[in-house]
């Protein structure tokens, strides 16, 4: 399976367009917050201007004893200058009215009381005017220039709404212009400081991923002291380590292939020598009879070593095929294969409960138990008569998180030199002539099941704990 190749975003996509859009959105949001009070103040100023004309008209009315005696052209001029259909002047309980020659009867009248100047009332009034329908009449109420006097104007709301819309368009154009200029300026600054370095990192990662063995693709970090500089330096160190590791792995792979070929030929040669040694062992010469067993044993060890190296080289990292397995039965089968069942000298005890069923790969875990049990038998056999009652036992315990299977013996234990590199291939063997591959493979299999294989140091004997997650248990 091939990994999908990543494609670097274009110059005006990815982080670039997101940054510009975010900056403009934030600026416009701020402009909207500022726009509402500004629109309310604009409306209030417009209404105050109309009220001032109404106050002038009120002075005229107050100076004339008989309002009806005013010339019609004068009253019409007053109303036209205020843009009103009618002006009412109230003072000391008396009202005076001037209106157009042809008065208009309004359908919908909305009151704007300019004596209430709090911000929320002004904003609510501005929004009401801005989104109002056509044909409404505005009743403007304000204080006159004399104590306890009121001036009221009746006028169409449409002129006010038209000027507010024109004002809003101007504010919107200015806001968009400011947002665009600010966004471009911040984008250029952010591009120089952040986006271009990030694009450089991204391009390098994509290129190095395609050819990790090309040393020229290792990024050269800049002298920045910030987080991007740290990322550049760490990426350079990681790519250098990866380049060295891949080159070393390739060399080891080539060396391993050569060793495998040499080992294969060596095994064939040793097999031929073994056949000859078997024939030599049949001779009646006393010297031959004394030396032949040693020769055969040495050849057997050499062939076994060569075969184990070939087997380890052919190991594949196959995923475990999980299925419910009765653990006690699995251990009994491994003990039989390890020649512990019916052993004349070594006692085998399987203390695992019969009802313990786990979801695991029986073939792989069987190899783990076979290796542990076989090592225990060989250690007890090598100790000979030094152990009074040689015994290998397997037990199981469980807590809230793990199931622990313990494999132990009462043999001589592991020497200190074997404990240091116990699970290292070709270095962790506890017996002479061993390859150390068994425990290394056993640990890999256990980790593939989500568990771990641990050596438990104790005064006498050898103990290994195979710890598996309790989630593998099959509950009935």
């Amino acid at each position: 399976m091939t990994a999908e190749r990543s494609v670097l975003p274009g110059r005006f996509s990815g982080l670039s367009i997101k940054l510009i859009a975010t900056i403009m959105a934030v600026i416009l949001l701020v402009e909207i917050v500022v726009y509402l009070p500004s629109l309310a103040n604009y409306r209030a100023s417009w209404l105050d201007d109309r009220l001032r004309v109404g106050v002038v008209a009120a002075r005229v009315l107050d100076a004339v004893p008989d309002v009806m005696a005013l010339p019609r052209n004068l009253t019409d001029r007053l109303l036209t200058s205020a843009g009103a259909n009618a002006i009412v002047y109230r003072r000391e309980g008396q009202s005076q009215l001037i209106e157009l020659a042809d008065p208009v009867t309004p359908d919908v009248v909305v009151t704007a009381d300019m004596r209430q100047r709090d911000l929320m009332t002004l904003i609510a009034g501005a929004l009401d005017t801005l989104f109002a329908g056509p044909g409404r009449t505005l009743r403007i109420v304000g204080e006159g220039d004399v104590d306890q006097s009121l001036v009221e104007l009746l006028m169409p709301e449409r002129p006010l709404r038209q000027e507010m819309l024109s004002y809003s368009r101007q504010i919107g154009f200015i806001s968009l212009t400011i947002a665009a200029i600010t966004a471009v300026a911040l984008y250029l600054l952010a591009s120089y400081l952040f986006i271009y370095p990030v694009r450089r990192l991204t391009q390098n990662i994509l290129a190095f991923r395609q050819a990790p063995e090309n040393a020229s693709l290792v990024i050269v970090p800049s002298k920045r002291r910030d987080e991007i500089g740290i990322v550049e330096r760490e990426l350079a160190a990681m790519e250098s380590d990866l380049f060295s590791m891949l080159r070393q792995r390739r060399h080891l792979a080539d060396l391993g292939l050569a060793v495998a070929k040499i080992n294969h030929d060596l095994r064939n040669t040793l097999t031929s020598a073994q056949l000859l040694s078997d024939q030599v062992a049949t001779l009646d010469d006393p010297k031959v009879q004394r030396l032949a067993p040693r020769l055969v044993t040495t050849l057997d060890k050499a062939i076994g070593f060569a075969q184990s190296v070939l087997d380890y080289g052919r190991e594949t990292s196959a995923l475990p095929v999980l299925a419910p397995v009765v653990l006690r039965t699995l251990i009994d089968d491994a003990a039989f294969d390890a020649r512990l069942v019916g052993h004349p000298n070594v006692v085998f005890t399987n203390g695992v409960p019969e009802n313990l069923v786990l979801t695991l790969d029986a073939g792989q875990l069987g190899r783990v138990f076979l290796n542990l049990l076989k090592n225990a038998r060989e250690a007890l056999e090598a100790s000979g008569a030094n152990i009074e009652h040689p015994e290998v036992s397997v037990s199981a315990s469980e807590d809230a998180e793990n199931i622990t299977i313990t494999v132990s013996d009462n043999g001589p234990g592991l020497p200190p030199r074997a404990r240091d590199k116990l699970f290292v291939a070709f270095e962790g063997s506890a017996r002479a002539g061993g390859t150390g591959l068994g425990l290394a493979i056993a640990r890999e299999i256990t980790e593939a099941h989500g568990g771990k294989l641990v050596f438990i140091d104790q005064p006498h004997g050898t103990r290994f704990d195979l710890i598996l997650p309790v989630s593998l248990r099959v509950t009935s």
Side-chain angles (χ1 to χ4, degrees):
M1 181 182 296
T2 58
E4 183 179 356
R5 182 175 181 179
S6 301
V7 179
L8 191 66
R11 181 177 298 274
F12 293 103
S13 61
L15 287 178
S16 303
I17 194 67
K18 291 178 182 178
L19 179 61
I20 294 177
T22 302
I23 294 173
M24 293 190 66
V26 171
I27 293 176
L28 289 177
L29 182 62
V30 174
E31 290 290 343
I32 289 174
V33 174
V34 176
Y35 162 73
L36 292 177
S38 175
L39 182 66
N41 289 330
Y42 179 83
R43 175 178 175 271
S45 299
W46 194 92
L47 295 176
D48 287 338
D49 291 340
R50 298 304 179 274
L51 277 177
R52 279 192 284 271
V53 177
V55 170
V56 173
R59 289 178 181 175
V60 174
L61 295 176
D62 194 37
V64 177
D66 186 6
V67 175
M68 302 301 296
L70 286 173
R72 172 55 60 181
N73 61 350
L74 177 59
T75 58
D76 288 346
R77 206 178 313 140
L78 289 173
L79 293 172
T80 303
S81 62
N85 296 330
I87 298 176
V88 180
Y89 178 59
R90 304 180 189 276
R91 180 184 179 189
E92 296 178 356
Q94 296 180 355
S95 300
Q96 294 177 323
L97 170 66
I98 57 173
E99 59 182 350
L100 294 174
D102 297 323
V104 179
T105 302
D107 294 331
V108 180
V109 179
V110 180
T111 301
D113 192 345
M114 301 310 295
R115 293 171 297 179
Q116 298 179 3
R117 313 289 294 198
D118 60 283
L119 183 60
M120 295 308 298
T121 301
L122 294 177
I123 292 177
L127 293 176
D128 180 65
T129 300
L130 191 64
F131 296 103
R136 297 202 315 183
T137 298
L138 194 60
R139 174 174 171 261
I140 310 172
V141 180
E143 296 179 352
D145 58 344
V146 183
D147 294 340
Q148 297 183 354
S149 62
L150 291 177
V151 177
E152 297 181 13
L153 280 78
L154 287 177
M155 59 176 297
E157 191 181 35
R158 183 178 179 182
L160 172 60
R161 185 170 180 273
Q162 293 295 332
E163 294 198 23
M164 289 177 63
L165 289 174
S166 177
Y167 175 78
S168 299
R169 284 191 291 268
Q170 294 177 4
I171 292 295
F173 176 76
I174 295 174
S175 299
L176 286 175
T177 303
I178 293 175
I181 294 175
T182 306
V184 170
L186 291 179
Y187 168 74
L188 294 176
L189 179 62
S191 296
Y192 175 75
L193 294 177
F194 306 111
I195 294 181
Y196 289 156
V198 171
R199 286 179 63 87
R200 175 173 174 259
L201 290 171
T202 307
Q203 289 173 342
N204 177 264
I205 292 173
L206 293 176
F208 188 82
R209 176 175 176 266
Q210 300 302 320
E213 296 185 1
N214 186 352
S216 64
L217 296 178
V218 176
I219 191 171
V220 178
S222 63
K223 297 181 180 180
R224 297 178 61 143
R225 300 289 183 180
D226 55 7
E227 288 81 357
I228 292 181
I230 295 175
V231 172
E232 290 176 342
R233 289 188 289 274
E234 292 300 320
L235 179 61
M238 183 186 68
E239 290 178 345
S240 299
D241 294 342
L242 185 59
F243 169 78
S244 301
M245 183 184 69
L246 290 176
R247 172 170 288 187
Q248 183 182 22
R249 178 175 294 182
R250 185 180 61 188
H251 291 175
L252 290 176
D254 295 340
L255 180 61
L257 182 61
V259 170
K261 292 180 180 179
I262 295 172
N263 199 45
H264 183 271
D265 295 338
L266 178 62
R267 188 193 62 170
N268 293 335
T269 303
L270 291 174
T271 302
S272 300
Q274 186 183 37
L275 294 175
L276 294 175
S277 66
D278 291 340
Q279 295 178 3
V280 171
T282 60
L283 299 178
D284 296 333
D285 191 331
K287 291 184 179 180
V288 172
Q289 293 294 326
R290 187 176 69 253
L291 298 175
R294 295 182 181 179
L295 177 61
V296 172
T297 301
T298 302
L299 290 175
D300 287 341
K301 289 182 179 180
I303 293 173
F305 181 86
Q307 185 62 46
S308 63
V309 171
L310 289 175
D311 292 340
Y312 183 76
R314 287 194 293 264
E315 281 289 331
T316 58
S317 55
L319 293 175
V321 180
L322 303 180
V325 176
V326 179
L327 187 60
R328 183 182 179 90
T329 303
L330 180 65
I331 294 174
D332 284 337
D333 294 340
F336 180 83
D337 294 337
R339 293 185 293 169
L340 276 172
V341 178
H343 195 282
N345 299 321
V346 180
V347 177
F348 172 69
T349 304
N350 188 354
V352 177
E354 296 182 356
N355 61 348
L356 183 56
V357 181
L358 301 180
T359 302
L360 43 82
D361 189 317
Q364 293 188 8
L365 260 296
R367 291 181 60 189
V368 175
F369 290 117
L370 173 61
N371 182 271
L372 296 177
L373 295 174
K374 181 182 176 183
N375 288 347
R377 175 185 60 80
E378 292 176 349
L380 291 173
E381 289 176 344
S383 62
N386 295 330
I387 307 297
E388 262 187 59
H389 303 287
E391 180 182 4
V392 178
S393 63
V394 181
S395 61
S397 60
E398 183 177 349
D399 57 25
E401 297 181 357
N402 300 307
I403 297 174
T404 303
I405 300 98
T406 299
V407 180
S408 60
D409 63 67
N410 59 349
L414 295 178
R417 64 177 179 82
R419 299 180 186 181
D420 297 336
K421 298 181 179 180
L422 192 59
F423 298 100
V424 180
F426 302 106
E427 297 186 20
S429 177
R431 58 185 175 85
T435 60
L437 297 176
L439 289 177
I441 296 174
R443 185 176 215 177
E444 289 180 357
I445 294 174
T446 307
E447 291 176 349
H449 284 74
K452 55 184 177 180
L453 183 61
V454 182
F455 169 73
I456 305 299
D457 193 5
Q458 53 187 15
H460 303 286
T462 305
R463 172 182 169 182
F464 287 92
D465 280 356
L466 195 152
I467 304 173
L468 297 174
V470 75
S471 58
L472 297 179
R473 184 184 181 116
V474 178
T475 56
S476 56

